[in-house]
């Protein structure tokens, strides 16, 4: 029996693929974030890092990486930029001076307070084209996919494990 010829290679197949759609939505999400938050000169990853440091003062870079699910080697440059902007400071850990603990500075606390309305506008804009029931359904499905595929990530989310070592779960 002759085998069926493969389907023609077209961009339509690419445009309908989940990976392509996720990548495009991520590009759109970052673009909207950057537009809404341009006055603050922060990226989404820098914002997440500031929130995590605010929530867990004294966190180290390795645990910060686990909490925000961001590659540890790339996170170093994020931390350097935040420190250069005077939003965070690094202090040596009492028990091991090689480990640097991260804390928000007064300007870091201030920018977090100021940027939150812009971040909330960005988040709302991302979902704005959908009806409220569609937004809820999409968020539920995305949360489910992220949770169920966590281990497939290059940097799985490990917030609970990281925070347990800090003794500051929550």
């Amino acid at each position: 029996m002759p085998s069926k010829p493969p389907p023609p290679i077209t961009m339509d197949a690419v445009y309908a693929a989940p990976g392509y759609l996720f990548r495009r939505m991520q590009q759109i999400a970052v673009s909207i974030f950057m537009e809404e938050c341009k006055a603050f000169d922060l990226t989404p990853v820098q914002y997440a890092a500031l929130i995590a440091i605010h929530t867990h003062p004294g966190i180290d870079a390795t645990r910060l990486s686990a909490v925000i699910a961001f590659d540890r080697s790339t996170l170093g440059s994020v931390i350097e930029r935040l420190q250069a902007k005077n939003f965070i400071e690094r202090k040596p850990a009492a028990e091991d001076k090689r480990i640097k603990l991260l804390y928000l500075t007064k300007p870091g606390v201030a920018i977090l307070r100021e940027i939150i309305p812009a971040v909330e506008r960005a988040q709302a804009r991302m979902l704005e084209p959908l009806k409220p029931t569609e937004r809820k359904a999409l968020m539920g499905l995305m949360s489910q996919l992220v949770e169920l595929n966590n281990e497939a990530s290059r940097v799985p989310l490990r917030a609970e494990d990281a925070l347990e070592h800090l003794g500051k779960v929550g």
Side-chain angles (χ1 to χ4, degrees), residues 143-154:
S143 295
Q144 185 179 359
L145 279 171
V146 167
E147 183 179 333
L148 295 174
N149 285 309
N150 187 51
E151 296 308 314
S153 173
R154 286 185 324 123

Side-chain angles (χ1 to χ4, degrees), residues 10 29-30 62 70-71 73 78 89 92-93 99 130 132 134 136:
T10 68
V30 169
T62 300
F70 196 73
D71 179 67
S73 59
V78 171
E89 59 184 342
I99 297 173
L130 300 175
E134 294 169 330
K136 185 175 180 178

Side-chain angles (χ1 to χ4, degrees), residues 5-81:
I9 299 171
T10 68
M11 285 306 295
D12 289 343
V14 172
Y15 296 151
Y20 175 83
L21 293 170
F22 290 143
R23 183 183 66 79
R24 286 289 296 137
M25 192 59 233
Q26 199 273 340
Q27 288 175 322
I28 292 164
V30 169
S31 180
I32 291 171
F33 181 97
M34 296 304 289
E35 185 178 312
E36 289 292 340
C37 300
K38 66 182 165 226
F40 302 97
D41 190 31
L42 285 178
T43 66
V45 173
Q46 290 171 346
Y47 172 74
L50 287 176
I51 292 287
I53 295 165
H54 171 74
T55 307
H56 308 289
I59 193 169
D60 63 79
T62 300
R63 287 181 179 82
L64 177 61
S65 171
V67 168
I68 65 173
F70 196 73
D71 179 67
R72 173 65 183 93
S73 59
T74 312
L75 186 62
S77 62
V78 171
I79 291 170
E80 286 172 12
R81 283 190 208 97

Side-chain angles (χ1 to χ4, degrees), residues 63 66-67 151 157-167 169:
R63 287 181 179 82
V67 168
E151 296 308 314
L157 181 65
R158 299 271 189 255
E160 292 83 12
D161 296 342
L163 298 177
E164 184 177 291
H165 285 76
L166 280 175
V169 177

Side-chain angles (χ1 to χ4, degrees), residues 2-9:
S3 64
K4 206 165 143 182
I9 299 171

Side-chain angles (χ1 to χ4, degrees), residues 25 28-29 32 120-140 142:
M25 192 59 233
I28 292 164
I32 291 171
E120 289 173 352
R121 281 193 309 274
Q123 302 303 314
R125 275 185 59 199
M126 291 171 206
L127 298 176
E128 191 176 308
L130 300 175
K131 296 175 184 160
T133 55
E134 294 169 330
R135 292 175 198 155
K136 185 175 180 178
L138 177 63
M139 292 304 296
M142 284 196 318

